[in-house]
Amino acid sequence: MKRFARVFPDSLAIVAFDGRKLMGWALAFEHESTVLLNLFVYPRYRTSGVATGLVQNALKEFPVITLAEWNEETRRFFRGLRKKFPEKIAICNWSRRREKYSGFIEAVEKH
């Protein structure tokens, strides 16, 4: 998250805690007029609604967000979210879009 925040200082960070334990985070940033949401939840908190809550909070700030699926687990989860919020969530396939986003990937990796 720190790397993304350095590259995209105007990004929105949303974090979820269980007491003092970090459960997960979402980082929303704009790239080429698209709001991309980078989402992470620690494995022990997955399937407990944390990711859905993070996405819902992001949707309070942005009318539409894009989630990038990268494996079968994220594909199923993100498509389920899109069914809940059909007008507010777009999904792209990270593997197919990797070339398009290579510039900002390189910027993030440098930090």
Side-chain angles (χ1 to χ4, degrees):
M1 183 165 84
K2 196 184 296 185
R3 289 179 177 180
F4 279 96
R6 285 184 185 143
V7 175
F8 301 100
D10 295 329
S11 58
L12 172 70
I14 304 166
V15 293
F17 287 95
D18 178 13
R20 294 176 54 169
K21 293 181 182 178
L22 178 64
M23 295 187 297
W25 52 266
L27 186 66
F29 55 96
E30 196 167 334
H31 180 70
E32 297 180 0
S33 301
T34 300
V35 175
L36 299 167
L37 189 70
N38 187 339
L39 185 64
F40 175 79
V41 175
Y42 282 99
R44 70 186 284 184
Y45 296 106
R46 292 180 186 163
T47 71
S48 66
V50 173
T52 301
L54 292 167
V55 169
Q56 287 174 318
N57 280 307
L59 289 172
K60 291 177 186 176
E61 301 294 325
F62 302 101
V64 177
I65 60 173
T66 298
L67 300 167
E69 61 186 33
W70 66 90
N71 62 21
E72 190 58 35
E73 180 183 8
T74 59
R75 181 177 186 222
R76 281 192 308 269
F77 177 64
F78 293 166
R79 289 174 187 228
L81 284 172
R82 187 171 57 189
K83 285 181 182 177
K84 284 184 177 181
F85 310 103
E87 303 296 319
K88 297 182 173 225
I89 292 181
I91 299 172
C92 69
N93 182 296
W94 182 252
S95 300
R96 292 184 194 142
R97 294 282 180 104
R98 189 163 176 81
E99 290 295 319
K100 179 179 179 179
Y101 298 126
S102 63
F104 89 77
I105 292 169
E106 289 172 13
V108 169
E109 288 175 347
K110 286 180 185 177
H111 287 87

